[in-house]
Tab-separated table of all heavy atoms in Angstrom:
chain	number	residue	atom	x	y	z
A	1313	PRO	N	64.956	-31.048	-9.068
A	1313	PRO	CA	63.794	-30.682	-8.238
A	1313	PRO	C	64.212	-30.040	-6.909
A	1313	PRO	O	63.459	-29.245	-6.336
A	1313	PRO	CB	63.088	-32.030	-8.007
A	1313	PRO	CG	63.526	-32.900	-9.132
A	1313	PRO	CD	64.935	-32.475	-9.447
A	1330	VAL	N	57.860	-27.852	-17.556
A	1330	VAL	CA	58.809	-28.869	-17.101
A	1330	VAL	C	59.085	-29.860	-18.223
A	1330	VAL	O	58.149	-30.366	-18.847
A	1330	VAL	CB	58.243	-29.631	-15.877
A	1330	VAL	CG1	59.270	-30.605	-15.315
A	1330	VAL	CG2	57.761	-28.664	-14.795
A	1331	CYS	N	60.352	-30.168	-18.467
A	1331	CYS	CA	60.676	-31.180	-19.474
A	1331	CYS	C	61.954	-31.917	-19.085
A	1331	CYS	O	62.969	-31.293	-18.749
A	1331	CYS	CB	60.854	-30.526	-20.841
A	1331	CYS	SG	61.010	-31.751	-22.152
A	1332	GLY	N	61.878	-33.231	-19.138
A	1332	GLY	CA	63.046	-34.042	-18.804
A	1332	GLY	C	62.612	-35.489	-18.699
A	1332	GLY	O	61.481	-35.840	-19.057
A	1333	PRO	N	63.474	-36.349	-18.188
A	1333	PRO	CA	63.087	-37.747	-17.992
A	1333	PRO	C	61.862	-37.817	-17.076
A	1333	PRO	O	61.682	-36.962	-16.193
A	1333	PRO	CB	64.323	-38.362	-17.311
A	1333	PRO	CG	65.447	-37.430	-17.628
A	1333	PRO	CD	64.859	-36.065	-17.778
A	1334	GLU	N	61.035	-38.849	-17.276
A	1334	GLU	CA	59.759	-38.900	-16.554
A	1334	GLU	C	59.943	-38.892	-15.037
A	1334	GLU	O	59.183	-38.257	-14.310
A	1334	GLU	CB	58.967	-40.126	-17.009
A	1334	GLU	CG	57.527	-39.756	-17.253
A	1334	GLU	CD	56.794	-40.724	-18.160
A	1334	GLU	OE1	56.941	-40.576	-19.388
A	1334	GLU	OE2	56.086	-41.610	-17.652
A	1335	VAL	N	60.982	-39.577	-14.555
A	1335	VAL	CA	61.181	-39.617	-13.102
A	1335	VAL	C	61.503	-38.211	-12.579
A	1335	VAL	O	61.032	-37.800	-11.511
A	1335	VAL	CB	62.275	-40.646	-12.718
A	1335	VAL	CG1	63.629	-40.280	-13.289
A	1335	VAL	CG2	62.366	-40.813	-11.213
A	1336	MET	N	62.268	-37.463	-13.349
A	1336	MET	CA	62.587	-36.077	-12.958
A	1336	MET	C	61.310	-35.218	-12.939
A	1336	MET	O	61.099	-34.397	-12.031
A	1336	MET	CB	63.640	-35.527	-13.933
A	1336	MET	CG	63.859	-34.036	-13.906
A	1336	MET	SD	62.880	-33.279	-15.228
A	1336	MET	CE	63.074	-31.558	-14.926
A	1337	MET	N	60.423	-35.437	-13.935
A	1337	MET	CA	59.192	-34.632	-13.982
A	1337	MET	C	58.260	-34.986	-12.818
A	1337	MET	O	57.575	-34.122	-12.278
A	1337	MET	CB	58.492	-34.832	-15.330
A	1337	MET	CG	59.297	-34.256	-16.488
A	1337	MET	SD	58.299	-33.831	-17.920
A	1337	MET	CE	57.854	-35.443	-18.527
A	1338	ARG	N	58.268	-36.270	-12.435
A	1338	ARG	CA	57.462	-36.703	-11.279
A	1338	ARG	C	57.879	-35.931	-10.018
A	1338	ARG	O	57.053	-35.348	-9.321
A	1338	ARG	CB	57.736	-38.182	-11.020
A	1338	ARG	CG	56.569	-39.096	-11.148
A	1338	ARG	CD	57.041	-40.531	-10.952
A	1338	ARG	NE	57.156	-41.197	-12.224
A	1338	ARG	CZ	56.120	-41.626	-12.926
A	1338	ARG	NH1	54.909	-41.460	-12.455
A	1338	ARG	NH2	56.291	-42.206	-14.092
A	1339	PHE	N	59.203	-35.927	-9.752
A	1339	PHE	CA	59.694	-35.242	-8.546
A	1339	PHE	C	59.546	-33.731	-8.661
A	1339	PHE	O	59.293	-33.038	-7.674
A	1339	PHE	CB	61.152	-35.638	-8.272
A	1339	PHE	CG	61.266	-37.006	-7.631
A	1339	PHE	CD1	61.616	-38.119	-8.373
A	1339	PHE	CD2	61.002	-37.174	-6.283
A	1339	PHE	CE1	61.697	-39.380	-7.794
A	1339	PHE	CE2	61.083	-38.432	-5.679
A	1339	PHE	CZ	61.426	-39.540	-6.443
A	1340	THR	N	59.700	-33.215	-9.875
A	1340	THR	CA	59.563	-31.763	-10.067
A	1340	THR	C	58.118	-31.333	-9.822
A	1340	THR	O	57.868	-30.315	-9.149
A	1340	THR	CB	60.008	-31.369	-11.496
A	1340	THR	OG1	61.379	-31.735	-11.651
A	1340	THR	CG2	59.852	-29.884	-11.737
A	1341	ALA	N	57.157	-32.089	-10.376
A	1341	ALA	CA	55.745	-31.743	-10.160
A	1341	ALA	C	55.416	-31.788	-8.666
A	1341	ALA	O	54.718	-30.912	-8.140
A	1341	ALA	CB	54.847	-32.688	-10.945
A	1342	ALA	N	55.962	-32.782	-7.961
A	1342	ALA	CA	55.709	-32.886	-6.513
A	1342	ALA	C	56.317	-31.689	-5.773
A	1342	ALA	O	55.688	-31.109	-4.881
A	1342	ALA	CB	56.288	-34.199	-5.982
A	1355	TYR	N	52.835	-27.521	-16.328
A	1355	TYR	CA	52.761	-28.155	-17.659
A	1355	TYR	C	53.990	-29.035	-17.858
A	1355	TYR	O	55.124	-28.612	-17.590
A	1355	TYR	CB	52.698	-27.083	-18.755
A	1355	TYR	CG	51.397	-26.317	-18.760
A	1355	TYR	CD1	51.140	-25.325	-17.797
A	1355	TYR	CD2	50.412	-26.585	-19.694
A	1355	TYR	CE1	49.937	-24.632	-17.785
A	1355	TYR	CE2	49.201	-25.894	-19.687
A	1355	TYR	CZ	48.979	-24.920	-18.731
A	1355	TYR	OH	47.780	-24.231	-18.712
A	1356	LEU	N	53.743	-30.263	-18.341
A	1356	LEU	CA	54.830	-31.224	-18.567
A	1356	LEU	C	54.869	-31.572	-20.045
A	1356	LEU	O	53.834	-31.633	-20.714
A	1356	LEU	CB	54.574	-32.515	-17.782
A	1356	LEU	CG	54.201	-32.408	-16.301
A	1356	LEU	CD1	53.927	-33.805	-15.741
A	1356	LEU	CD2	55.300	-31.731	-15.510
A	1357	SER	N	56.066	-31.848	-20.569
A	1357	SER	CA	56.175	-32.317	-21.952
A	1357	SER	C	56.418	-33.821	-21.922
A	1357	SER	O	57.436	-34.294	-21.417
A	1357	SER	CB	57.315	-31.608	-22.674
A	1357	SER	OG	57.377	-32.067	-24.006
A	1358	MET	N	55.450	-34.569	-22.455
A	1358	MET	CA	55.482	-36.035	-22.377
A	1358	MET	C	56.101	-36.639	-23.640
A	1358	MET	O	56.003	-36.067	-24.723
A	1358	MET	CB	54.064	-36.579	-22.205
A	1358	MET	CG	53.319	-36.028	-21.007
A	1358	MET	SD	54.142	-36.406	-19.450
A	1358	MET	CE	54.045	-38.189	-19.452
A	1359	GLU	N	56.710	-37.810	-23.484
A	1359	GLU	CA	57.302	-38.527	-24.631
A	1359	GLU	C	56.768	-39.942	-24.705
A	1359	GLU	O	56.750	-40.635	-23.698
A	1359	GLU	CB	58.823	-38.614	-24.474
A	1359	GLU	CG	59.564	-37.579	-25.263
A	1359	GLU	CD	61.057	-37.846	-25.343
A	1359	GLU	OE1	61.469	-39.017	-25.378
A	1359	GLU	OE2	61.796	-36.854	-25.349
A	1388	PHE	N	49.287	-30.608	-15.861
A	1388	PHE	CA	49.474	-31.663	-14.866
A	1388	PHE	C	48.154	-32.160	-14.288
A	1388	PHE	O	47.971	-33.366	-14.080
A	1388	PHE	CB	50.418	-31.161	-13.763
A	1388	PHE	CG	50.763	-32.197	-12.745
A	1388	PHE	CD1	51.215	-33.451	-13.125
A	1388	PHE	CD2	50.647	-31.926	-11.393
A	1388	PHE	CE1	51.545	-34.419	-12.185
A	1388	PHE	CE2	50.974	-32.885	-10.444
A	1388	PHE	CZ	51.417	-34.132	-10.842
A	1395	PHE	N	49.587	-40.226	-14.644
A	1395	PHE	CA	51.035	-40.012	-14.550
A	1395	PHE	C	51.601	-40.723	-13.319
A	1395	PHE	O	52.759	-41.107	-13.277
A	1395	PHE	CB	51.299	-38.502	-14.464
A	1395	PHE	CG	52.727	-38.106	-14.630
A	1395	PHE	CD1	53.434	-38.435	-15.784
A	1395	PHE	CD2	53.383	-37.372	-13.649
A	1395	PHE	CE1	54.748	-38.050	-15.953
A	1395	PHE	CE2	54.700	-36.980	-13.802
A	1395	PHE	CZ	55.387	-37.321	-14.961
Side-chain angles (χ1 to χ4, degrees):
V1330 185
C1331 189
E1334 225 159 278
V1335 63
M1336 166 263 173
M1337 293 204 289
R1338 242 176 258 285
F1339 282 101
T1340 299
Y1355 291 76
L1356 311 177
S1357 181
M1358 304 299 297
E1359 261 192 34
F1388 184 50
F1395 191 58

